[in-house]
Amino acid sequence: QDPNAPVVPPYNRLPQILGSLSDTDWLGLTWSGNGEYARFTQDQLAPTGERFVLYPTAAFSRQGSYWFFTARAGVHMREYSLDRTTAALPDSHPGYAIPITSLDAGLVFERDLQLRDTPLTQTLEPRAFYVYIPYKNQSNAPVFDTALDDFNFSQLFAENRYIGNDRIGDANQLTLALTSRFLDRDTGAERLRLAVGQRFYFQDQRVSLNEPLRSASTSDFLLSGEGRLNDAWALASLLQYNFDSHEVERLNAGVRYTPAPGHALNATWRFTRQLVDPLGGIEQIKQIDISGQWPVSDRWNLIGRWN
């Protein structure tokens, strides 16, 4: 560690017990859920104590050859038993029960086309995802293992904007996205995927985890593309654009060369206009990342990375 700026180790989970219920069909619904008990300890951090989490859900799903629809509802319940509190968090037994509901629907259109000598199937897949989570003041809850999730296509279709169980973000929002895939008709392999998506907010953000509260009515616009030029070359890129400020917030572009098993070369360019440092301040990222693996004999491989 840098002695001038030591990093405090995260909480220990001693112990952590997890349980989950796999999708189970009953009464026309699909039931699932998960639970957790964990004791968080750390001599340099406060508060410390126990957390109990239970999150049961029920879903109603229907699908056809070219459409799908899922309505899901659940209640995220958690209870704390803290043995070391702070002046900012004086309550030793905070508890919360927060309902989470979502609607997910999409269509799949297909058409055949010929690109040079390759027969392809192109899809067009519009998707809508709505989430409603009522506001619940959680400022008295500790933050043991929770962080703001990265903004990407997976997050667009996630109910909670946080990773972890210490915060459930309030939400009244709709995500609209459109994906087009190009599939090799002979092998079924995906040759190219293009996707665009954006989230629309119907109310201002009130729950925060040290990030600035959002008041904009729309998220940044996401555009991604990835595909295989042939069996050896693959490309991937992601663009995040802010229409309010008319600036590129993030741009990732990469190429991968895999001519044979065990042979791989990767090159990626990353740009982030504003990155919030958890220790304070905002910085800009311009980064090149090159890595690879290459066998030089039957017993030796070279592996390296430069960032």
Side-chain angles (χ1 to χ4, degrees), residues 196-214:
V196 295
Q198 192 172 22
R199 181 180 286 163
F200 300 86
Y201 303 102
F202 304 119
Q203 64 186 33
D204 292 342
Q205 175 184 345
R206 299 178 67 184
V207 176
S208 173
L209 189 66
N210 301 321
E211 81 273 15
L213 291 175
R214 171 201 47 75

Side-chain angles (χ1 to χ4, degrees), residues 86-239:
T86 65
L89 300 173
D91 189 355
S92 60
H93 291 88
Y96 306 91
I98 303 176
I100 300 174
T101 57
S102 64
L103 300 173
D104 192 3
L107 299 170
V108 180
F109 302 97
E110 293 183 355
R111 69 167 183 170
D112 293 336
L113 58 88
Q114 191 84 13
L115 184 61
R116 294 184 179 179
D117 296 330
T118 304
L120 298 173
T121 296
Q122 181 189 6
T123 71
L124 193 64
E125 306 170 34
R127 183 179 178 185
F129 182 67
Y130 174 77
V131 178
Y132 179 75
I133 303 174
Y135 167 72
K136 182 74 173 180
N137 187 352
Q138 300 162 68
S139 58
N140 286 331
V143 181
F144 288 136
D145 61 358
T146 300
L148 182 66
D149 197 3
D150 182 42
F151 183 67
N152 50 40
F153 271 95
S154 297
Q155 223 302 301
L156 280 180
F157 297 99
E159 294 171 330
N160 191 18
R161 59 179 172 267
Y162 301 108
I163 300 173
N165 287 309
D166 293 313
R167 289 293 185 276
I168 301 297
D170 55 319
N172 184 6
Q173 61 198 32
L174 174 67
T175 294
L176 297 178
L178 182 64
T179 302
S180 182
R181 296 183 294 152
F182 294 82
L183 309 174
D184 190 314
R185 211 180 311 156
D186 294 333
T187 65
E190 183 178 282
R191 292 297 183 182
L192 178 65
R193 177 187 300 182
L194 303 172
V196 295
Q198 192 172 22
R199 181 180 286 163
F200 300 86
Y201 303 102
F202 304 119
Q203 64 186 33
D204 292 342
Q205 175 184 345
R206 299 178 67 184
V207 176
S208 173
L209 189 66
N210 301 321
E211 81 273 15
L213 291 175
R214 171 201 47 75
S215 59
S217 59
T218 60
S219 71
D220 292 342
F221 184 79
L222 290 181
L223 170 64
S224 75
E226 56 182 297
R228 300 193 66 89
L229 302 178
N230 52 40
D231 292 338
W233 288 93
L235 303 173
S237 63
L238 173 68
L239 172 69

